[in-house]
Amino acid sequence: DLGFDDSFTARITSLRVGWNGMLGAVSSQLWLGAGDWDTAATASGHTTLPDGRRLDFEADQQPVDNWLYDIGGNFQSTPHWLVVVDAGADFNGGFYVVVGPTYRFGQ
């Protein structure tokens, strides 16, 4: 719930291909991928102005380019520690970077 009057949904589809193996003593997965971010939507809402009047608004939003291309990897140095690194771009101004260290408890 982002506070808008209407709800909207988005569909993100991705495909990755890659390699699974060892880099030295580190269990690793490396991949290349592409994804379709079908997130176009109209957000509408309202607010009350300081003088008590209601202001209704509507904003159309969508990515400049639906397609994003990514490269990433998952590296597990011990049975308990691993890190995922993933970066993507649409080569039109949109990008993301994810770095996720993980500690696993137990055996």
Side-chain angles (χ1 to χ4, degrees):
D1 182 9
L2 298 176
F4 299 114
D5 291 344
D6 300 322
S7 64
F8 51 91
T9 59
R11 181 180 49 89
I12 299 173
T13 307
S14 66
L15 175 68
R16 293 179 176 161
V17 295
W19 171 83
N20 183 30
M22 299 294 289
L23 290 175
V26 178
S27 176
S28 304
Q29 296 86 39
L30 301 173
W31 60 80
L32 294 172
D36 177 25
W37 289 55
D38 183 9
T39 59
T42 299
S44 62
H46 69 277
T47 188
T48 303
L49 299 173
D51 64 5
R53 292 182 298 149
R54 176 181 164 129
L55 172 68
D56 294 307
F57 65 88
E58 187 174 278
D60 295 326
Q61 71 80 36
Q62 67 185 35
V64 173
D65 188 342
N66 280 18
W67 287 96
L68 223 68
Y69 305 93
D70 73 294
I71 184 170
N74 188 42
F75 310 96
Q76 185 168 355
S77 58
T78 73
H80 297 286
W81 283 102
L82 64 94
V83 65
V84 62
V85 178
D86 195 26
D90 64 6
F91 303 106
N92 203 8
F95 70 93
Y96 71 90
V97 176
V98 175
V99 177
T102 303
Y103 180 79
R104 293 183 181 180
F105 295 94
Q107 301 264 347

